[in-house]
Amino acid sequence: MRTDPEGHGPVRYGPPLPDDGLPVLPELTAVLAAAAARPRAEPVGGGTPLLEAACDYADRRGLPAGPDHVAAAPGAPALLLALTAALGGDVLVPRPCAAWWAPYARLLGRPVFHVATPAECGGVPDPYALLETVRRVRAEGGDPRLLVLSVADDPTATVAPPEVLHETVEAAASEGLHLVSDETWRDTVHAPHETVWLSPAEMLPDRVTVVTDLAGSLLPTGWPAAFARFPANGDGNGLHARVLDILTALGARIAAPVAAAAAHALTEPEPVTAHRAAVGHLHARVAAAAHAAVVGAGALSRPPRAGRHLYVDLGPLRPALTARGVGDAQDLEDFLTARLGMPAPGGHRFGDDLGALRVRLSTGPLLGGSDAERAECLTAPAPLELPHVQRALNTLGSVFDDLRDDAQRWEPPR
């Protein structure tokens, strides 16, 4: 029987965003340091330089916006909390979903309903399952109003195909839902020239608010900054105003030095874009190697297409895990965290079934145990051949291979 509750469910022990594990770009630290002496606080919702930079960033991605339709906050969670409070009603999310989505709705006393995803990807609900869930919730007296989704997804590391996204957005529109599109991982797509990216805001501009946390690709996770782009209509104006009211009540201001660094990063100067591309390429290679290791051992995992992680289903290895006392996702989290020496949050952290043997594995811990080792990965022509990366990948492969071999021994004779 478990006697230590730490890490076994409380929100404060939940998994953070996957970190890139790399040193901060010196250009950004210089900008932040230069702004550190500013005595004035950043306005709630962001100052003019930050908002204008966010608008230009969105415009370059085909999502034009004016500063009066953008709001910034110290991280995407503050924005999602404000949006959920402002929109009211019940919340719909895919299963699985980012670990930080559901707690904010529950904090407000709002029911959260998980909707199954299609076979092709995570992050976006299956359209038919979405329609059925909405109708069931309404039949039971509920009031679904908000759907949160992500085209480039944490935890599954997939990118939703445009045709799947189109069907889901059509289904949501037919039921009058407002959509929050979490586009934190948009700029971490592993093969950007081969991946067709479509934002829900391009399809349903009047009913989609886009949220982007800069921790995805532009800033370190310890410098919280994010922005939301609201619809450019009357409903969007009202929602923007209510969100600013809530952010004011929360005191949710970005620290002025972080705001300066965020504004600079959002302008996407060449050093920032080059660093982002190098980081993305590195994590794509490590993720592909990790994926090959777990799939080669008999586990299931969609190929990672974005982000710094992959989502693994160890259901086929259940006999070996059962023999080790692993019966659910929390047991699996404890087991793999200890064996791998790195965090391996179970699928239940992301709204998946506790009984399913699924985990999210991040690529950052595979880059080395020191800043020097991790920095070397970014400049090495063959980072997977570095001794410390090879050791980490070998450990990962060895743990999964042991489970495969044991599972085969436990298979009943045919």
Side-chain angles (χ1 to χ4, degrees):
M1 185 178 74
R2 296 176 183 147
T3 57
D4 178 11
E6 185 168 298
H8 293 142
V11 172
R12 65 184 182 278
Y13 298 119
L17 287 175
D19 195 295
D20 68 13
L22 297 164
V24 181
L25 184 66
E27 179 169 326
L28 292 180
T29 61
V31 172
L32 183 137
R38 294 182 185 176
R40 295 181 180 175
E42 189 77 359
V44 170
T48 299
L50 177 56
L51 296 182
E52 289 180 346
C55 290
D56 291 342
Y57 172 93
D59 187 52
R60 289 191 293 273
R61 284 151 183 78
L63 300 173
D68 54 343
H69 288 96
V70 174
L79 288 169
L80 185 57
L81 173 64
L83 284 162
T84 305
L87 287 164
D90 303 340
V91 180
L92 301 163
V93 296
R95 182 192 300 274
C97 69
W100 56 274
W101 288 0
Y104 294 95
R106 297 193 180 105
L107 181 66
L108 295 167
R110 305 283 168 72
V112 178
F113 297 93
H114 290 267
V115 186
T117 55
E120 298 94 325
C121 62
V124 175
D126 176 86
Y128 300 103
L130 176 63
L131 291 172
E132 176 59 29
T133 301
V134 169
R135 290 164 186 168
R136 173 177 57 81
V137 170
R138 286 180 176 153
E140 295 172 354
D143 182 21
R145 298 187 197 177
L146 171 61
L147 169 63
V148 188
L149 47 72
S150 56
V151 177
D153 185 46
D154 170 23
T156 65
T158 58
V159 177
E163 59 274 15
V164 173
L165 180 65
H166 184 79
E167 293 180 359
T168 298
V169 170
E170 277 195 337
S174 71
E175 297 297 334
L177 302 176
H178 189 92
L179 280 67
V180 168
S181 176
D182 177 7
E183 301 188 4
T184 294
W185 301 103
R186 175 175 185 146
D187 291 334
T188 68
V189 172
H190 294 173
H193 299 297
E194 302 170 15
T195 304
V196 179
W197 173 279
L198 185 63
S199 169
E202 298 176 69
M203 301 172 54
L204 195 66
D206 292 344
R207 299 190 69 87
V208 178
T209 298
V210 174
V211 172
T212 303
D213 197 310
L214 273 60
S217 64
L218 292 176
L219 293 181
T221 56
W223 300 4
F227 73 91
R229 173 195 178 273
F230 297 84
N233 57 18
D235 289 341
N237 295 340
L239 181 58
H240 178 257
R242 292 194 299 276
V243 165
L244 288 179
D245 284 342
I246 295 165
L247 293 175
T248 301
L250 294 172
R253 303 170 186 263
I254 300 178
V258 174
H264 181 77
L266 284 166
T267 64
E268 299 181 289
E270 194 279 333
V272 170
T273 56
H275 180 76
R276 179 177 63 202
V279 171
H281 185 58
L282 170 62
H283 282 279
R285 295 173 72 177
V286 176
H291 178 263
V294 300
V295 171
L300 303 175
S301 176
R302 296 186 184 101
R305 303 298 187 197
R308 304 184 282 259
H309 52 282
L310 61 156
Y311 199 60
V312 185
D313 184 345
L314 284 81
L317 305 178
R318 186 180 288 273
L321 289 163
T322 300
R324 288 170 164 82
V326 175
D328 60 25
Q330 181 61 66
D331 293 335
L332 182 61
E333 174 182 308
D334 296 340
F335 173 80
L336 286 180
T337 297
R339 293 292 300 273
L340 296 173
M342 58 182 272
H348 62 302
R349 306 284 191 182
F350 309 99
D352 222 334
D353 294 330
L354 177 63
L357 297 178
R358 299 181 185 127
V359 294
R360 185 191 73 186
L361 300 177
S362 297
T363 50
L366 300 174
L367 301 180
S370 68
D371 288 344
E373 287 182 343
R374 292 188 287 268
E376 187 181 6
C377 292
L378 202 55
T379 57
L384 298 186
E385 297 177 10
L386 292 172
H388 55 275
V389 177
Q390 282 189 334
R391 284 195 300 271
L393 289 171
N394 287 342
T395 297
L396 177 69
S398 177
V399 169
F400 277 81
D401 286 345
D402 287 348
L403 292 173
R404 176 200 58 202
D405 294 343
D406 284 357
Q408 290 173 349
R409 283 194 289 270
W410 281 91
E411 285 183 356
R414 298 184 179 181

